Amino acid sequence: MDEASYEERLTAPLAWWLVGAGFVVTVWWIFVLATPLWLAWTAATVALALVVGLVGYYGSARLAVADGVLWAGRAHIPLTLCGVAEPLDREQTRRAGGAEADARAYLLLRPYISTAVRVPIDDPKDVAPA
């Protein structure tokens, strides 16, 4: 993809990384009390890899508009098939991801971000709701 005219990442907050670090330390401490030191370090290394992998992956969602295409995570659609974007406030975002959610819709929401943007799709072949 060429240079984006708009781009942002929905990165995980620092608090999630701190909780992950606490998990790694807890795993290390539990193992160091009951097993040989090498096993404790191995368990902590595995826990660290899991934390970095899971939080890093979940917190790497990317939104971009480039080359006439809207990218939202792994999904992409030409801008010619997109309607007018509508910003959603906190309450509208909560409803769009909860009570008013449509199972056919593609949602890229993160619990640590309280607002969103709704982009209707104007493609008659797409089953996603308008």
Side-chain angles (χ1 to χ4, degrees), residues 20 23-28 41-54:
F23 172 72
V24 172
V25 169
T26 302
V27 167
W28 177 82
W41 283 109
T42 302
T45 302
V46 169
L48 179 63
L50 283 171
V51 167
V52 169
L54 292 174

Side-chain angles (χ1 to χ4, degrees), residues 5 9 17 20 29 52 66 72 78 83-84 88 92 94 103-104 107 113 121:
S5 57
R9 288 206 182 271
W17 291 104
W29 184 250
V52 169
V84 177
L88 304 178
Q92 291 169 321
R94 187 187 65 75
R104 299 169 300 156
L107 301 177
I113 300 176
I121 306 301

Side-chain angles (χ1 to χ4, degrees), residues 25-84:
V25 169
T26 302
V27 167
W28 177 82
W29 184 250
I30 290 170
F31 274 84
V32 83
L33 292 175
T35 64
L37 193 55
W38 68 268
L39 187 56
W41 283 109
T42 302
T45 302
V46 169
L48 179 63
L50 283 171
V51 167
V52 169
L54 292 174
V55 176
Y57 175 74
Y58 191 73
S60 68
R62 180 173 175 256
L63 301 171
V65 176
D67 301 328
V69 177
L70 169 66
W71 294 81
R74 294 173 294 165
H76 61 281
I77 187 165
L79 289 175
T80 57
L81 299 176
C82 294
V84 177

